[in-house]
Amino acid sequence: MDRRQFMVGSLGAGSLLMLPPLARSSTPAYTLPFINAQDMAPLERLSAFGGSSVIEGDVHDEAHEIFWNKEGYLLKKGGIPQSSSQYDVIIVGGGMAGLSAAYNLRGLKVLLLEGQPRLGGNSKSQQSGKSFTSQGAAYLAAFEPGDEFDQLYTDIGVKRLLRNTGSEAEPVTMNGKLIPDFWSGATDPSRSADFKRAHDILRDVFENKLPELPLWDNSASMRTYLNSLDQMTFTNWLKREIGNVHPHVMELITLYCWSSFGGSPAELSAAQGLYFFASDTQGGANVLPGGNGRVAHAMYEKMKTRGNVTFRSNAFAIDVRSLNGKAQVCFKNESGVLETATAKKCIVASPKKVAKFVVDKLSAGQHKAMDDIDYRAYLVANIFLNKKVASPGYDVYSLQGSNPTNDYEDSKKRCMADMLFADWASKDNVDQTILTLYLPLPYDMAQQYLFVDGLYEKYKDRVKTSIAPHLSNMGLSWSNVQGMRLVRYGHSVPLAKAGQIANGTFERASADIDGCIFFANQDNWGNPCFETSYGSALQAARKAR
């Protein structure tokens, strides 16, 4: 079974909770001026090939003021205005889950609200000439002919662009030196048997014991198996099943967990860790020039031709509530003025870290479940070279020969976990090479450091140091770097902690409200990938029809 496959036809309804409404003010409605839709597109076309000293991604705004004192903020703004527009469905959040929900609501009148300037969440892309870069997520799971993802990629026109990384094809580097065949024990030939044993056990998991995530079909036997794995950490599973894991194998697994989950294998659920690592290292994945942002952009362009979705960027949702059997959404528009819209249904596609403040009168149990989900931050650095370099593979992990023991200190010293040869996806059909570096922050409270003065300069220095041996082994140096573009994400990765599937945290956090408010996000299962975002969005869209 390939990673992240599921039978979406079995998606069912969730539980319903009743929420009492609050009074509204009589502030006059605001009429929206014309918006240039191209400005909010997930794919940004750059005017020139090169870097920027402006940090992209999450922006510092008044969100914290609003969240920590929502009632006071609304009072200062004159209260919630009367509704000025009505829709079939309102979607809060224009990341991958929000776009996916809108895409699956064709034929209905839909309003999509995104608080940031551009749609796509952490799935955005940039283009300069023939070159595409990912500004965040950059992996798609393999799919079967005719399944939902095959149909999606065909419909939005990206299937012909997909390239599969292949089974076991990805190299690593050891102190900058390329190692094409890691699992043969090339980094430590005297202990090659340890690499083979770990490889064979992971292969057996992939072929015979892979947990199904997300679990949409309510299979009792799979849920029992999933829960049993989820209740132990990935580290403890590795010790139990493999025993004495070679330090280089453990280092690769740690870097993979940092990059994919924002956490260490000692924190992560064995179910979540195995689901990703066994599949990606044993089964390969599909990739696109520009990463997952190309999917987000293609969906957006397709929806523009349908004409049933009104897209609003810089439209920050403040209050979502059930009111007389309908959903009411109050948001701050791009002019800083409060607006209110009403719909038959609402899909909240923002992370639960945001939803717990926005959705009014959550039950104590649902609020606690949302509060129990942790999130991690990361940065992405795209390095623009003045030369073309042949791509040895797609995603190359940067090993140093020892397993990190302190997530905070070691992630700072290493800076990057892995490096994409961005042009591999386009078969190097470019004039100059771009390298995409993932800079994980695998510890709590890292978000507070993302908006400090001098962040770009600090990370430029760290990137320069960490990439130096890699450039040297390509016959290059920092003088060949034409520029760097840095992207930050503060709360984009839900931490897949051990035990939270088994104890029902994610399901309680994502429970439907009053039959008119639904949730769609990768944190519906704490499973940070496109397929979970899309699946949860499809489930919510079916309920919202």
Side-chain angles (χ1 to χ4, degrees):
M1 181 172 58
D2 289 322
R3 175 158 76 96
R4 294 168 244 177
Q5 287 181 326
F6 59 88
M7 294 301 294
V8 294
S10 64
L11 303 183
S15 59
L16 308 180
L17 299 176
M18 296 294 292
L19 293 182
L22 294 181
R24 296 170 291 171
S25 80
S26 58
T27 304
Y30 176 79
T31 302
L32 176 71
F34 174 76
I35 300 173
N36 180 1
Q38 185 60 40
D39 294 341
M40 69 175 79
L43 174 63
E44 178 186 15
R45 292 178 172 85
L46 304 177
S47 59
F49 184 94
S52 170
S53 60
V54 176
I55 302 175
E56 299 165 284
D58 289 352
V59 297
H60 188 67
D61 54 25
E62 57 183 340
H64 291 87
E65 175 196 348
I66 295 172
F67 288 158
W68 290 112
N69 186 17
K70 187 171 84 170
E71 295 301 325
Y73 179 84
L74 290 172
L75 183 63
K76 182 177 71 174
K77 286 286 193 176
I80 296 176
Q82 291 183 342
S83 177
S84 58
S85 55
Q86 294 187 0
Y87 295 85
D88 293 318
V89 183
I90 298 173
I91 299 171
V92 175
M96 191 62 88
L99 290 169
S100 297
Y103 178 82
N104 284 287
L105 288 169
R106 67 191 76 186
L108 297 184
K109 183 181 179 183
V110 177
L111 171 65
L112 185 146
L113 303 173
E114 167 55 41
Q116 298 289 324
R118 286 170 60 201
L119 301 169
N122 71 335
S123 293
K124 299 185 183 77
S125 304
Q126 292 178 324
Q127 177 185 7
S128 176
K130 294 187 289 185
S131 298
F132 290 86
T133 64
S134 170
Q135 294 184 285
Y139 265 100
L140 302 167
F143 56 85
E144 293 294 324
D147 73 8
E148 287 75 13
F149 296 107
D150 188 1
Q151 294 172 30
L152 169 68
Y153 301 145
T154 299
D155 186 43
I156 62 177
V158 302
K159 183 179 177 181
R160 61 184 176 81
L161 302 174
L162 291 169
R163 189 177 184 192
N164 191 273
T165 60
S167 174
E168 307 175 59
E170 298 285 37
V172 302
T173 61
M174 179 64 76
N175 297 313
K177 182 181 178 181
L178 192 70
I179 308 294
D181 191 7
F182 173 78
W183 292 106
S184 72
T187 59
D188 187 0
S190 67
R191 294 182 59 183
S192 60
D194 292 344
F195 290 79
K196 184 179 186 304
R197 184 177 71 256
H199 171 272
D200 290 347
I201 290 171
L202 290 168
R203 167 59 63 174
D204 180 57
V205 169
F206 175 70
E207 293 179 346
N208 303 304
K209 304 173 185 176
L210 194 68
E212 183 180 342
L213 269 172
L215 184 60
W216 300 116
D217 62 4
N218 295 319
S219 165
S221 59
M222 178 55 74
R223 184 58 188 250
T224 299
Y225 177 55
L226 188 61
N227 287 351
S228 69
L229 287 174
D230 183 67
Q231 292 177 68
M232 71 175 75
T233 67
F234 194 13
T235 293
N236 286 341
W237 184 92
L238 291 164
K239 290 178 180 177
R240 187 187 76 179
E241 298 296 325
I242 299 178
N244 184 21
V245 183
H246 191 284
H248 296 175
V249 174
M250 199 64 219
E251 181 183 11
L252 173 62
I253 291 172
T254 298
L255 294 181
Y256 180 91
C257 291
W258 280 4
S259 182
S260 299
F261 295 99
S264 74
E267 298 175 282
L268 300 177
S269 154
Q272 302 265 25
L274 274 174
Y275 181 55
F276 270 46
F277 188 74
S279 300
D280 283 346
T281 59
Q282 305 297 317
N286 289 317
V287 298
L288 283 164
N292 294 9
R294 294 293 296 278
V295 174
H297 185 75
M299 284 197 291
Y300 170 64
E301 291 293 325
K302 186 76 172 183
M303 286 186 282
K304 282 167 59 180
T305 66
R306 294 177 184 165
N308 69 306
V309 181
T310 299
F311 296 95
R312 300 280 297 270
S313 65
N314 291 308
F316 189 86
I318 297 170
D319 184 86
V320 174
R321 63 184 62 189
S322 169
L323 185 66
N324 300 324
K326 293 186 177 181
Q328 175 186 280
V329 180
C330 175
F331 61 97
K332 179 175 70 71
N333 66 27
E334 67 284 347
S335 299
V337 177
L338 295 189
E339 285 189 60
T340 301
T342 306
K344 298 173 184 176
K345 312 288 183 182
C346 176
I347 297 174
V348 179
S350 60
K352 305 301 181 291
K353 188 176 186 72
V354 174
K356 68 183 180 183
F357 295 105
V358 173
V359 180
D360 188 65
K361 299 292 185 180
L362 287 169
S363 71
Q366 188 164 13
H367 189 281
K368 183 181 185 306
M370 291 184 178
D371 208 36
D372 286 343
I373 302 173
D374 293 332
Y375 296 80
R376 293 285 168 82
Y378 72 100
L379 298 104
V380 179
N382 276 299
I383 307 300
F384 293 72
L385 302 180
N386 62 9
K387 292 186 177 182
K388 180 177 177 177
V389 177
S391 300
Y394 183 61
D395 192 0
V396 179
Y397 278 84
S398 178
L399 277 61
Q400 295 181 2
S402 61
N403 185 43
T405 57
N406 184 304
D407 295 326
Y408 176 72
E409 293 294 341
D410 290 337
S411 63
K412 285 202 304 181
K413 291 175 184 176
R414 290 174 179 255
C415 186
M416 73 168 173
D418 53 324
M419 175 172 64
L420 298 186
F421 283 80
D423 308 311
W424 183 91
S426 62
K427 300 181 180 180
D428 289 332
N429 182 29
V430 295
D431 297 319
Q432 295 171 241
T433 291
I434 298 174
L435 305 174
T436 302
L437 279 55
Y438 286 90
L439 319 178
L441 303 172
Y443 48 88
D444 291 332
M445 304 302 292
Q447 296 86 353
Q448 63 184 314
Y449 302 114
L450 291 183
F451 297 96
V452 298
D453 293 338
L455 183 74
Y456 181 90
E457 290 75 17
K458 179 172 73 173
Y459 270 92
K460 182 178 180 180
D461 289 341
R462 289 181 179 178
V463 166
K464 185 176 180 180
T465 299
S466 64
I467 202 175
H470 301 272
L471 293 175
S472 177
N473 276 282
M474 297 178 207
L476 304 174
S477 69
W478 189 257
S479 64
N480 295 110
V481 174
Q482 192 164 311
M484 180 180 88
R485 304 183 78 94
L486 190 66
V487 190
R488 62 186 164 205
Y489 297 105
H491 306 289
S492 64
V493 182
L495 183 64
K497 290 189 295 187
Q500 290 195 318
I501 292 175
N503 69 21
T505 293
F506 299 121
E507 288 158 299
R508 289 194 300 276
S510 306
D512 305 341
I513 297 174
D514 203 14
C516 65
I517 297 174
F518 312 104
F519 295 91
N521 194 273
Q522 58 188 0
D523 63 12
N524 278 28
W525 281 88
N527 187 243
C529 64
F530 165 70
E531 290 74 25
T532 301
S533 292
Y534 189 83
S536 65
L538 180 54
Q539 183 183 51
R542 288 179 172 176
K543 294 176 183 178
R545 281 194 170 274

